[in-house]
Amino acid sequence: MKKQLSLGFSALVLAAALAGCGSSSGTSAGSSAAPPASSGSSSSSSSSSSAASSSGAELKVASSSAGQILVDSRGMSLYFFTKDVKDSGKSSCTGACLALWPVLTTTSATPAVDGVTGTVGTIATPDGKKQVTLNGMPLYYYSKDKKPGDVLGQGVGSVWYLAGPSGEMVKGSANSGY
């Protein structure tokens, strides 16, 4: 009885998460939505140097099957949510949505970049962290991207798109990683 109740509750939580994120398809296998191991700010971002090298950059550019995209210091793909409002200072992905689409955070007021031509900034999250933005749009991970090069979040629900280095939404097809 407990097992059935637990499975039912898990299905309900997954359905709520998908609905909150604007996803119209539940075609991916597996329902565990563990966020990436780190949310952008690793030990490489704690240096006091203001110089941005590719090894110390929190944001950098990578080539993918969809074109040039923005990745974090570990090579994990970053996404935009079309329901966010540019320069609003807040994220539209809240609650259950955040389980599937964790935010990219930093401890720096000015995250280090390599090859990024858009304007990088931060906004405050409800829990007081700094979410990284590009051209005023918040940046996210996709929890089902498990390794550098994964671009499984591209086009999900027709509202999630890879972030390009100048701040554009990359809307091309991405059938595989980079």
Side-chain angles (χ1 to χ4, degrees):
M1 177 82 162
K2 277 186 177 180
K3 190 173 188 177
Q4 288 175 339
L5 183 60
S6 177
L7 288 173
F9 183 71
S10 295
L12 181 63
V13 169
L14 178 61
L18 291 174
C21 296
S23 174
S24 61
S25 69
T27 58
S28 34
S31 62
S32 71
S38 163
S39 296
S41 59
S42 62
S43 60
S44 65
S45 64
S46 63
S47 73
S48 59
S49 169
S50 62
S53 68
S54 65
S55 63
E58 289 184 73
L59 298 174
K60 55 188 177 179
V61 178
S63 292
S64 77
S65 57
Q68 295 288 100
I69 63 167
L70 196 63
V71 299
D72 73 357
S73 61
R74 298 174 297 121
M76 298 301 293
S77 302
L78 297 167
Y79 298 87
F80 285 127
F81 185 33
T82 61
K83 293 183 179 184
D84 282 330
V85 177
K86 182 178 178 172
D87 296 323
S88 69
K90 64 181 185 175
S91 167
S92 295
C93 179
T94 60
C97 177
L98 292 173
L100 286 174
W101 300 94
V103 301
L104 170 65
T105 60
T106 184
T107 56
S108 173
T110 54
V113 299
D114 183 20
V116 179
T117 57
T119 303
V120 177
T122 62
I123 58 173
T125 63
D127 61 357
K129 295 180 180 172
K130 293 178 188 171
Q131 182 175 4
V132 179
T133 62
L134 184 59
N135 290 354
M137 293 288 286
L139 292 168
Y140 305 86
Y141 294 103
Y142 185 44
S143 63
K144 294 183 181 181
D145 286 351
K146 298 297 183 191
K147 64 186 183 314
D150 284 352
V151 290
L152 302 173
Q154 178 65 354
V156 169
S158 298
V159 294
W160 292 96
Y161 294 99
L162 290 161
S166 64
E168 77 281 8
M169 286 187 191
V170 178
K171 294 206 174 178
S173 172
N175 296 326
S176 62
Y178 48 92

